[in-house]
Amino acid sequence: MSAAPIRVGLVDDHAVVRFGYRRLLELEGLSVALEAGDAESAYAALGRHARLPVDVLIVDLALPGHSGLALLRRVRGRWPDARVLIFTMHDDAGTVTQCLRAGAAGFVTKSSDPELLIDAVRQVARGQVALSPDIAALTDGARTAPHAGLGTREFDVLNALLDGHGVEAIALRLRLSPKTVANYQTTIRQKLGVVSAMGLLQYARQHGLRH
């Protein structure tokens, strides 16, 4: 009797991308049991089941509304054994560190060969940690990048600032008070050694956080 196929969830805001990767996964004998275009709908779809309906959840970081990192934390908070594989264009050391700290079981960049994604899904389903070669090469550098020392909330605020959101908008998005967000902004600048919004953008470009 053959083993049941690995059940996969796909969370990516581009429908065409989801379609392409669903076809790829299905051709390799994997079962796509869930699809979503944003973090909220993904979490809601997962929560409609008594038990987690997927063996591996593939999550892009750049999602509308709440980020893929926020979804990762939320899923791991409710289902500690959930196996989440980050699949994204972001490839900076600090982001990798934050995702692994939050409980990601793997991190693969979208520039990787398709076979690497398939292999990573299978590794994660077996309980292993899967990193694409370009990400594995970054992990040593992640320890020394200044932004790798940010707390999880600070990293959320940093990403929102780099996306161009103001203090009030970030407060609403992260469900914090504007004063708390302003304090985070000050702390982030101190830790990164910058004194202005322009300095923050320059830091982000130098460290690959934004292009």
Side-chain angles (χ1 to χ4, degrees), residues 66 134 144 147 182:
H66 296 290
D134 52 343
T144 59
H147 58 277

Side-chain angles (χ1 to χ4, degrees), residues 58-76:
I58 301 174
V59 176
D60 188 8
L61 290 179
L63 298 173
H66 296 290
S67 68
L69 180 55
L71 175 62
L72 165 63
R73 291 182 185 135
R74 198 173 179 190
V75 168
R76 290 279 297 178

Side-chain angles (χ1 to χ4, degrees), residues 79-184:
W79 299 282
D81 294 330
R83 295 165 184 168
V84 181
L85 173 62
I86 301 300
F87 185 53
T88 182
M89 291 299 297
H90 294 280
D91 60 359
D92 66 279
T95 298
V96 176
T97 298
Q98 290 290 332
C99 289
L100 295 178
R101 281 179 183 172
F107 198 112
V108 176
T109 57
K110 288 185 175 179
S111 59
S112 302
D113 291 335
E115 292 80 7
L116 282 174
L117 175 62
I118 301 299
D119 289 343
V121 170
R122 289 175 173 150
Q123 285 179 276
V124 169
R126 291 195 297 265
Q128 300 171 338
V129 175
L131 301 176
S132 55
D134 52 343
I135 293 303
L138 285 173
T139 53
D140 288 339
R143 300 189 185 99
T144 59
H147 58 277
L150 297 177
T152 54
R153 254 321 186 209
E154 291 170 340
F155 200 76
D156 287 340
V157 172
L158 172 61
N159 276 318
L161 289 168
L162 295 177
D163 285 340
H165 298 294
V167 169
E168 295 286 344
I170 296 171
L172 184 63
R173 180 180 182 181
L174 299 181
R175 298 174 186 170
L176 299 171
S177 71
K179 182 178 179 180
T180 298
V181 173
N183 289 338
Y184 274 132

